[in-house]
Amino acid sequence: MSARKRTVVLISGRGSNMTALIAAASNLDYPAEIVGVISDRANAAGLGIAAARGIATKVISRADYTSKDAHDGAIDAALVSFGAEIVALAGYMRILGARFVEKWLGRMINIHPALLPAFKGLDTHARAIRAGIRIHGCTVHFVTLDMDDGPIIAQAAVPVMVGDNEDMLAARVLKAEHRLYPLALGLVAEGKARMEGGRTVLAHFADDADNSSSVVMAPDPLREETDLEHLARITP
C-alpha cells in the first residue's frame, strides 16, 4: 500500500465528523492518516476527543491575531508543521481567506449538511423543512473561494419524514454524514477523486452496480396502511 495521506482536520465544536474520520483512519488500510486537529475555539469538545485518541491538537483562536490574514497565516503554518497533505473541514465555522484557499485548492475538502447546490449556508435543516422538500442530505465538496460552492465529491440522501422537526431531520442527516465523509476523504486520499478545471474528476473508480437501482422516496407511495378488518375477512 502507498503511504497514507497526512490529513489535518479543522473544527470549531463537538467534532462528530472529525470522530468519524478518526475512526475510519484507525484502520491501517484506510488511505488517509489523521495527524492533527486544529480548532479556532479552545472549548471545542472535539479537541478532547482527538487528544484521547492520541492525535495532536492545536488551538488557533481568532482573538489572538490582529487580522483575518494573520489568523489564516497561523493556521497555514500549523498545517505545514503537521506535514499536512489534505485539509478536512469538519464543522469549522469561519470563512477562510482567498490566499489560504488558493494555496490549499484541490487539497481541502468540506462537508455540508444539505444536497448542494441547494441550501448553502446555515440552518439548512430548518430551511429544508420550510421549503417542503421531501429529500434532503449532505455533500462533501472541494473548498473554493465561494462558500459551499466547490466541486462536489460525494453526496448522501435521506428522506424528510412527514412528522420531522429540525432536530429529527438533523439527526438523520448526521448519521449519513458520518458514513459519507470517510468515503469521500478516502477517494481524495487515493487520488480517485481530484479537482481539475473547476470540476471533480473520478478516476480508477466504479460505482457499486447496486447503486444504479437505489431510490429514496418520501413519502413512499408503495407503503399503504393495512386494513385489518379486510385482512381478517379474506384470511382463512
PDB file of all heavy atoms in Angstrom, residues 206-220:
ATOM      1  N   ALA A 206     -15.240   2.864  -9.782  1.00  0.00           N
ATOM      2  CA  ALA A 206     -16.521   2.465 -10.361  1.00  0.00           C
ATOM      3  C   ALA A 206     -17.556   2.392  -9.245  1.00  0.00           C
ATOM      4  O   ALA A 206     -17.280   1.869  -8.163  1.00  0.00           O
ATOM      5  CB  ALA A 206     -16.410   1.106 -11.054  1.00  0.00           C
ATOM      6  N   ASP A 207     -18.737   2.932  -9.500  1.00  0.00           N
ATOM      7  CA  ASP A 207     -19.815   2.828  -8.520  1.00  0.00           C
ATOM      8  C   ASP A 207     -20.226   1.379  -8.352  1.00  0.00           C
ATOM      9  O   ASP A 207     -20.114   0.562  -9.279  1.00  0.00           O
ATOM     10  CB  ASP A 207     -21.040   3.622  -9.004  1.00  0.00           C
ATOM     11  CG  ASP A 207     -20.910   5.109  -8.742  1.00  0.00           C
ATOM     12  OD1 ASP A 207     -20.488   5.470  -7.641  1.00  0.00           O
ATOM     13  OD2 ASP A 207     -21.232   5.894  -9.648  1.00  0.00           O
ATOM     14  N   ASP A 208     -20.701   1.067  -7.176  1.00  0.00           N
ATOM     15  CA  ASP A 208     -21.322  -0.228  -6.943  1.00  0.00           C
ATOM     16  C   ASP A 208     -22.533  -0.338  -7.870  1.00  0.00           C
ATOM     17  O   ASP A 208     -23.406   0.524  -7.870  1.00  0.00           O
ATOM     18  CB  ASP A 208     -21.754  -0.305  -5.474  1.00  0.00           C
ATOM     19  CG  ASP A 208     -22.329  -1.668  -5.108  1.00  0.00           C
ATOM     20  OD1 ASP A 208     -22.715  -2.419  -6.017  1.00  0.00           O
ATOM     21  OD2 ASP A 208     -22.405  -1.956  -3.912  1.00  0.00           O
ATOM     22  N   ALA A 209     -22.588  -1.404  -8.654  1.00  0.00           N
ATOM     23  CA  ALA A 209     -23.677  -1.555  -9.620  1.00  0.00           C
ATOM     24  C   ALA A 209     -25.042  -1.544  -8.944  1.00  0.00           C
ATOM     25  O   ALA A 209     -26.041  -1.112  -9.536  1.00  0.00           O
ATOM     26  CB  ALA A 209     -23.500  -2.846 -10.417  1.00  0.00           C
ATOM     27  N   ASP A 210     -25.093  -1.982  -7.695  1.00  0.00           N
ATOM     28  CA  ASP A 210     -26.375  -1.997  -6.983  1.00  0.00           C
ATOM     29  C   ASP A 210     -26.924  -0.587  -6.786  1.00  0.00           C
ATOM     30  O   ASP A 210     -28.130  -0.393  -6.639  1.00  0.00           O
ATOM     31  CB  ASP A 210     -26.219  -2.677  -5.618  1.00  0.00           C
ATOM     32  CG  ASP A 210     -25.965  -4.172  -5.748  1.00  0.00           C
ATOM     33  OD1 ASP A 210     -26.274  -4.718  -6.819  1.00  0.00           O
ATOM     34  OD2 ASP A 210     -25.463  -4.768  -4.786  1.00  0.00           O
ATOM     35  N   ASN A 211     -26.030   0.420  -6.772  1.00  0.00           N
ATOM     36  CA  ASN A 211     -26.497   1.792  -6.572  1.00  0.00           C
ATOM     37  C   ASN A 211     -27.365   2.289  -7.710  1.00  0.00           C
ATOM     38  O   ASN A 211     -28.155   3.212  -7.536  1.00  0.00           O
ATOM     39  CB  ASN A 211     -25.295   2.739  -6.416  1.00  0.00           C
ATOM     40  CG  ASN A 211     -24.622   2.601  -5.061  1.00  0.00           C
ATOM     41  OD1 ASN A 211     -25.211   2.078  -4.131  1.00  0.00           O
ATOM     42  ND2 ASN A 211     -23.382   3.045  -4.971  1.00  0.00           N
ATOM     43  N   SER A 212     -27.216   1.687  -8.879  1.00  0.00           N
ATOM     44  CA  SER A 212     -27.956   2.176 -10.041  1.00  0.00           C
ATOM     45  C   SER A 212     -29.459   1.993  -9.894  1.00  0.00           C
ATOM     46  O   SER A 212     -30.240   2.676 -10.552  1.00  0.00           O
ATOM     47  CB  SER A 212     -27.477   1.463 -11.313  1.00  0.00           C
ATOM     48  OG  SER A 212     -27.764   0.074 -11.249  1.00  0.00           O
ATOM     49  N   SER A 213     -29.861   1.090  -9.034  1.00  0.00           N
ATOM     50  CA  SER A 213     -31.293   0.856  -8.835  1.00  0.00           C
ATOM     51  C   SER A 213     -31.793   1.408  -7.502  1.00  0.00           C
ATOM     52  O   SER A 213     -32.947   1.213  -7.140  1.00  0.00           O
ATOM     53  CB  SER A 213     -31.597  -0.646  -8.909  1.00  0.00           C
ATOM     54  OG  SER A 213     -30.868  -1.361  -7.928  1.00  0.00           O
ATOM     55  N   SER A 214     -30.915   2.118  -6.777  1.00  0.00           N
ATOM     56  CA  SER A 214     -31.316   2.657  -5.480  1.00  0.00           C
ATOM     57  C   SER A 214     -32.215   3.872  -5.664  1.00  0.00           C
ATOM     58  O   SER A 214     -31.931   4.750  -6.477  1.00  0.00           O
ATOM     59  CB  SER A 214     -30.080   3.069  -4.671  1.00  0.00           C
ATOM     60  OG  SER A 214     -29.264   1.952  -4.409  1.00  0.00           O
ATOM     61  N   VAL A 215     -33.295   3.918  -4.898  1.00  0.00           N
ATOM     62  CA  VAL A 215     -34.237   5.031  -4.957  1.00  0.00           C
ATOM     63  C   VAL A 215     -34.633   5.411  -3.538  1.00  0.00           C
ATOM     64  O   VAL A 215     -34.947   4.552  -2.720  1.00  0.00           O
ATOM     65  CB  VAL A 215     -35.508   4.664  -5.761  1.00  0.00           C
ATOM     66  CG1 VAL A 215     -36.496   5.815  -5.746  1.00  0.00           C
ATOM     67  CG2 VAL A 215     -35.158   4.282  -7.194  1.00  0.00           C
ATOM     68  N   VAL A 216     -34.561   6.713  -3.240  1.00  0.00           N
ATOM     69  CA  VAL A 216     -35.075   7.217  -1.972  1.00  0.00           C
ATOM     70  C   VAL A 216     -36.343   7.993  -2.279  1.00  0.00           C
ATOM     71  O   VAL A 216     -36.321   8.943  -3.069  1.00  0.00           O
ATOM     72  CB  VAL A 216     -34.052   8.144  -1.284  1.00  0.00           C
ATOM     73  CG1 VAL A 216     -34.648   8.735  -0.010  1.00  0.00           C
ATOM     74  CG2 VAL A 216     -32.768   7.381  -0.967  1.00  0.00           C
ATOM     75  N   MET A 217     -37.465   7.562  -1.699  1.00  0.00           N
ATOM     76  CA  MET A 217     -38.737   8.244  -1.930  1.00  0.00           C
ATOM     77  C   MET A 217     -39.357   8.613  -0.590  1.00  0.00           C
ATOM     78  O   MET A 217     -39.305   7.833   0.363  1.00  0.00           O
ATOM     79  CB  MET A 217     -39.706   7.370  -2.724  1.00  0.00           C
ATOM     80  CG  MET A 217     -39.290   7.133  -4.157  1.00  0.00           C
ATOM     81  SD  MET A 217     -40.563   6.289  -5.133  1.00  0.00           S
ATOM     82  CE  MET A 217     -40.498   4.643  -4.421  1.00  0.00           C
ATOM     83  N   ALA A 218     -39.929   9.788  -0.533  1.00  0.00           N
ATOM     84  CA  ALA A 218     -40.606  10.209   0.693  1.00  0.00           C
ATOM     85  C   ALA A 218     -41.739  11.172   0.346  1.00  0.00           C
ATOM     86  O   ALA A 218     -41.507  12.162  -0.329  1.00  0.00           O
ATOM     87  CB  ALA A 218     -39.627  10.896   1.632  1.00  0.00           C
ATOM     88  N   PRO A 219     -42.976  10.902   0.777  1.00  0.00           N
ATOM     89  CA  PRO A 219     -43.370   9.633   1.402  1.00  0.00           C
ATOM     90  C   PRO A 219     -43.350   8.504   0.383  1.00  0.00           C
ATOM     91  O   PRO A 219     -43.465   8.745  -0.816  1.00  0.00           O
ATOM     92  CB  PRO A 219     -44.792   9.922   1.890  1.00  0.00           C
ATOM     93  CG  PRO A 219     -45.292  10.986   0.960  1.00  0.00           C
ATOM     94  CD  PRO A 219     -44.104  11.842   0.627  1.00  0.00           C
ATOM     95  N   ASP A 220     -43.169   7.269   0.858  1.00  0.00           N
ATOM     96  CA  ASP A 220     -43.063   6.114  -0.019  1.00  0.00           C
ATOM     97  C   ASP A 220     -44.455   5.718  -0.503  1.00  0.00           C
ATOM     98  O   ASP A 220     -45.284   5.265   0.286  1.00  0.00           O
ATOM     99  CB  ASP A 220     -42.414   4.964   0.743  1.00  0.00           C
ATOM    100  CG  ASP A 220     -42.113   3.773  -0.141  1.00  0.00           C
ATOM    101  OD1 ASP A 220     -42.671   3.705  -1.261  1.00  0.00           O
ATOM    102  OD2 ASP A 220     -41.331   2.908   0.275  1.00  0.00           O
TER     103      ASP A 220
END
